[in-house]
Amino acid sequence: MLIAPCAMFIAQKNKVDFDYTSKKAIVSMGKTLCVYTVWLVWLLLLSYLMFSSFDFLYSTYGFILSVPNLRPNMGLFWYFFTEMFEHFRIFFILVFQINAFIYTIPLVIKLRDHPFMIMYIQCALIAIFKSYPAFGDAVVYLALLPVWSHTYVYLKNSLVVGAMYVVSSLLAFVVWHLWIFAGSANANFFFAMTLVYTTAQVFLITDVIYAFLRREYELTHGLKQIGPDGKPVTLLLQ
């Protein structure tokens, strides 16, 4: 997922024409993809030499993609696949897992001039749609949120999102204790907190995208204000 914005960022940093259909841009992004592929293959071969087997592939990539362990966590997979009929499992695994990848295409098209923003959104999408997420996954993109401090003025749901993060994070431990140790709750209570936690992440990312695009629009088209005479006045940001 992250290789696409990385290739775009390197191409722009090398002052390649922003027309991604140009020969220079295609060559630059092709080199980045080739370097990534070579290092990935080399690391996989090195792992094979260490273990004399490719079984590690299932223990790493295969385990995350196939979701064999349905132990409760802060993600969405465990509850759905606990209730899922076995003959529907493969289909819904594909449906769930594709969410972590399919959004790359529209993001690259819409934000082609802002690859770092694409990387940031993809880090958040990984944390949201990961089969075995942890709080550490969310910390990655939350720690990078101040990078977009210039868009804070355009945020619409910051209070709601903040409250949802706090409530879901704290109550998740409470309902877990009530479910697992006290026996006075059930899986629905804990899953409700995971839904609130996931919804907070979705609201945050959509709010950041809106704020970023709104600022870019106003930088391009100017701010529309009302002048002393009551007529619209356009302010252009230089």
Side-chain angles (χ1 to χ4, degrees), residues 141-162:
Y141 70 86
L142 289 176
L144 294 174
L145 189 59
V147 174
W148 315 107
S149 58
H150 53 279
T151 66
Y152 284 178
V153 67
Y154 300 100
L155 295 177
K156 299 293 184 180
N157 304 312
S158 54
L159 177 61
V160 175
V161 171

Side-chain angles (χ1 to χ4, degrees), residues 1 10 24 44 57 73 94 102 119 132 190:
M1 290 174 57
I10 294 174
K24 291 183 179 180
L44 292 177
L57 289 176
N73 53 63
L94 295 176
I102 196 172
M119 296 181 200
Y132 299 103
F190 184 74

Side-chain angles (χ1 to χ4, degrees), residues 33-147:
L33 181 60
C34 289
V35 171
Y36 166 78
T37 304
V38 168
W39 276 103
L40 177 62
V41 172
W42 167 247
L43 291 175
L44 292 177
L45 291 177
L46 185 62
S47 300
Y48 172 77
L49 294 175
M50 293 176 62
F51 296 103
S52 299
S53 173
F54 281 110
D55 292 342
F56 69 92
L57 289 176
Y58 177 79
S59 300
T60 52
Y61 303 108
F63 187 85
I64 295 175
L65 295 175
S66 61
V67 199
N69 190 340
L70 299 180
R71 181 176 300 176
N73 53 63
M74 292 302 293
L76 302 175
F77 284 68
W78 66 273
Y79 188 87
F80 282 100
F81 287 101
T82 299
E83 306 291 335
M84 187 72 61
F85 290 109
E86 191 63 28
H87 52 280
F88 291 128
R89 178 180 176 85
I90 296 178
F91 171 76
F92 280 99
I93 283 179
L94 295 176
V95 172
F96 272 64
Q97 295 289 10
I98 200 174
N99 281 282
F101 301 94
I102 196 172
Y103 300 111
T104 302
I105 298 175
L107 287 173
V108 167
I109 295 174
K110 180 62 179 179
L111 301 172
R112 56 187 176 274
D113 296 330
H114 308 282
F116 190 70
M117 184 63 177
I118 300 175
M119 296 181 200
Y120 178 78
I121 298 172
Q122 286 183 323
C123 288
L125 292 176
I126 292 173
I128 295 172
F129 296 109
K130 192 176 181 181
S131 54
Y132 299 103
F135 286 119
D137 297 312
V139 168
V140 173
Y141 70 86
L142 289 176
L144 294 174
L145 189 59
V147 174

Side-chain angles (χ1 to χ4, degrees), residues 110 114 154 209-224 235-237:
K110 180 62 179 179
H114 308 282
Y154 300 100
I209 295 175
Y210 166 80
F212 180 81
L213 294 178
R214 176 67 182 272
R215 181 177 181 274
E216 290 298 314
Y217 178 85
E218 293 186 353
L219 286 175
T220 304
H221 300 281
L223 296 170
K224 293 184 178 180
L235 302 177
L236 295 177
L237 302 179

